Amino acid sequence: MRIHKKRMLFSIIMMVMTILLAACGGNAGQSTTDSTSETRMYHSEQGDVKVPAKPQRVAVLAATYAGNLLKLGIKPIAVNEWPKGNKFYEGQLDDVEVVTEDSVEKLLALNPDLIITYSNDKNLKKYAQIAPTVAFTYEKYDYLQQHIEIGKLVGKEKEAREWVAQWQEKAKAERKKVQAAIGENATATVLETFGKDMYVYGKNWGRGTEVIYQALGLKPTKKLEQDVFGPGYKAISKEVIPQYAGDYLFVGQGDDSADNSFMQTDVWKGIPAVQKNQVILFDSKSFYFNDPISLEKEMEFIVDSLTKRK
């Protein structure tokens, strides 16, 4: 009788353990599924990268992409030094950490769940050891494709495409307004000094070029289109500015070391756009960017400058 009870007790214990193991096994399977659902594969230029489905701690070490994230409702935990100087962000990055290419240890301490950078970043392999890393080649995308691609990466493609559609509609309306003010065939040139070097820019290289040439449809001069639109920018001597000068000149204020003494020369003063007071100065530190937040502010500034000059 006692043996029979022991066998019954043993059977009950085994049955309970079986049920518990089954439950644990079921929970383990569910956990794996949940974990998998929290990540997904992103098809990057370097191959497939497993990224968070909804990243929460994004480090943006490519200067021009911080504003794309902000527009999509994601505040990065780290940026490099460039976005901090953009007034268009209106303090949204004030408390965000700055990580330079020489402060990888600082990045590790911030514990990012996604790192975004340029494809020519020298620290790509180091970043990949810290968190999933996606690198973009800047020249590969125009400014609208760029926003959509970042939207895909962070799980907000729908929101990115919605902004692009809204932007294109706004651009049509603003283009009509500008053309009514200055005509349909007005030409424009974007130039800027850094230190003692002078540059002219193409249609997709920041400095308001996306707004001026693409959204508003101002035209480049023939020499500008021929020499600069392919590579994106070109260093020139100050003496040849007249060869590239359009009806309107957009001049960046450059960095703190910029030498703008060329604006006092007879060469500059002899340019028709200068004589007609069709020179528009812009803040280089903010106009450097071509993300949605910056573009909206640039559009407002440029349209006002072109339509209210008369």
Side-chain angles (χ1 to χ4, degrees):
M1 189 72 175
R2 188 175 297 172
I3 295 174
H4 179 65
K5 286 182 178 180
K6 286 183 178 180
R7 285 180 177 174
M8 285 183 64
L9 181 61
F10 179 78
S11 298
I12 291 170
I13 292 172
M14 290 300 296
M15 182 171 66
V16 171
M17 288 182 65
T18 301
I19 293 172
L20 289 173
L21 287 171
C24 290
N27 287 338
Q30 184 63 41
S31 176
T32 302
T33 302
D34 287 346
S35 176
T36 303
S37 69
E38 292 173 1
T39 62
R40 55 188 171 74
M41 298 304 293
Y42 174 76
H43 306 295
S44 77
E45 297 174 34
Q46 294 77 33
D48 288 348
V49 180
K50 184 181 286 188
V51 300
K54 295 181 179 180
Q56 302 296 315
R57 300 185 59 78
V58 186
V60 188
L61 307 183
T64 54
Y65 302 146
N68 297 89
L69 285 182
L70 289 174
K71 191 65 176 180
L72 293 170
I74 299 174
K75 184 175 181 177
I77 62 164
V79 296
N80 69 11
E81 61 270 32
W82 286 90
K84 289 279 191 170
N86 187 345
K87 296 176 183 178
F88 295 147
Y89 297 153
E90 299 177 336
Q92 294 184 70
L93 297 176
D94 284 355
D95 59 346
V96 173
E97 294 287 341
V98 173
V99 173
T100 66
E101 61 181 12
D102 297 320
S103 58
V104 177
E105 290 183 359
K106 183 177 182 180
L107 179 64
L108 176 63
L110 289 170
N111 191 32
D113 59 8
L114 177 64
I115 299 171
I116 303 174
T117 189
Y118 292 129
S119 58
N120 61 354
D121 193 313
K122 70 177 185 179
N123 292 321
L124 273 177
K125 291 183 179 179
K126 293 180 181 179
Y127 297 155
Q129 294 175 352
I130 297 174
T133 299
V134 173
F136 293 107
T137 300
Y138 179 82
E139 299 89 339
K140 183 176 180 179
Y141 309 92
D142 69 28
Y143 72 108
L144 298 180
Q145 292 170 336
Q146 170 182 291
H147 189 55
I148 291 172
E149 202 61 32
I150 291 174
K152 290 179 183 178
L153 171 59
V154 298
K156 290 182 177 279
E157 181 180 357
K158 178 183 177 183
E159 293 90 333
R161 290 189 181 278
E162 286 174 350
W163 179 84
V164 169
Q166 292 168 2
W167 172 260
Q168 290 173 327
E169 286 301 311
K170 182 177 179 61
K172 289 179 183 178
E174 296 300 289
R175 178 182 293 202
K176 290 179 180 178
K177 189 187 300 184
V178 168
Q179 289 180 344
I182 67 174
E184 296 183 8
N185 297 309
T187 57
T189 304
V190 180
L191 53 102
E192 185 179 55
T193 55
F194 276 93
K196 295 183 179 180
D197 298 321
M198 167 71 71
Y199 295 90
V200 286
Y201 295 96
K203 65 179 181 179
N204 199 64
W205 214 261
R207 287 94 179 170
T209 58
E210 293 84 3
V211 175
I212 293 165
Y213 297 122
Q214 298 186 56
L216 298 179
L218 274 74
K219 295 176 172 54
T221 63
K222 289 183 178 179
K223 186 168 181 58
L224 185 69
E225 185 172 21
Q226 177 183 332
D227 293 356
V228 184
F229 270 41
Y233 66 94
K234 181 180 180 180
I236 63 171
S237 67
K238 297 172 176 64
E239 290 73 24
V240 303
I241 294 175
Q243 298 179 26
Y244 293 92
D247 299 320
Y248 291 85
L249 297 176
F250 291 85
V251 183
Q253 296 301 281
D255 61 12
D256 296 334
S257 64
D259 178 7
N260 290 323
S261 60
F262 71 92
M263 300 181 79
Q264 307 303 320
T265 65
D266 291 338
V267 172
W268 176 258
K269 294 177 181 179
I271 297 173
V274 177
Q275 296 175 344
K276 295 177 182 178
N277 192 31
Q278 294 179 172
V279 176
I280 300 167
L281 305 179
F282 63 84
D283 170 26
S284 293
K285 290 183 179 179
S286 299
F287 271 67
Y288 173 83
F289 298 85
N290 59 5
D291 61 88
I293 293 174
S294 302
L295 289 165
E296 289 170 359
K297 296 291 187 179
E298 290 168 17
M299 172 81 84
E300 181 181 351
F301 174 85
I302 292 168
V303 171
D304 284 349
S305 298
L306 291 173
T307 59
K308 296 179 180 179
R309 300 185 74 80
K310 303 299 182 183

